[in-house]
Amino acid sequence: MVKEQYSWYSFFEGTDFEWDPVKNVLNQQKHRVSFEEAQYAFADIKCIIAEDLAHKSVETRYYCFGNVNGEIMTVRFTYRNKKIRIFGAGFWRKGKKAYEETHPIH
């Protein structure tokens, strides 16, 4: 799942966010996470950005694993027209595991 890691600051500094408003509502109903809240995962200075190798499409897709209010959130997104386009977010075990393997808790 994780191909490479990037520093969020250098990779996305000054980048705006966008999303489909209908997907945002559906995501809130299914995962209880809004895309507005999902933006905060990118603000975690320890966040992990990983390429999504399982879902190949015309554009490259990524995961962001970041700490939001003490929990590890996974955000699925792409980088389109110089913006981060979010299309999924939630608190999933695989994302938490990837984050904790990179940042062990002692």
Side-chain angles (χ1 to χ4, degrees), residues 57-75:
S57 66
V58 176
E59 60 190 358
T60 305
R61 293 182 172 197
Y62 300 94
Y63 293 103
C64 173
F65 308 112
N67 189 317
V68 177
N69 296 323
E71 295 185 68
I72 307 308
M73 182 182 291
T74 300
V75 181

Side-chain angles (χ1 to χ4, degrees), residues 39-104:
Q39 296 175 83
Y40 289 102
F42 293 85
D44 176 3
I45 61 171
K46 294 182 179 180
C47 78
I48 299 168
I49 304 298
E51 187 174 343
D52 181 353
L53 301 176
H55 296 96
K56 291 290 183 184
S57 66
V58 176
E59 60 190 358
T60 305
R61 293 182 172 197
Y62 300 94
Y63 293 103
C64 173
F65 308 112
N67 189 317
V68 177
N69 296 323
E71 295 185 68
I72 307 308
M73 182 182 291
T74 300
V75 181
R76 296 175 59 227
F77 71 99
T78 193
Y79 189 67
R80 185 187 301 166
N81 300 323
K82 299 183 179 181
K83 294 182 180 180
I84 295 172
R85 184 165 182 86
I86 297 173
F87 51 86
F91 294 99
W92 298 309
R93 287 185 301 258
K94 286 184 180 181
K96 182 178 180 183
K97 182 179 178 184
Y99 187 91
E100 289 175 347
E101 285 175 354
T102 304
H103 306 294

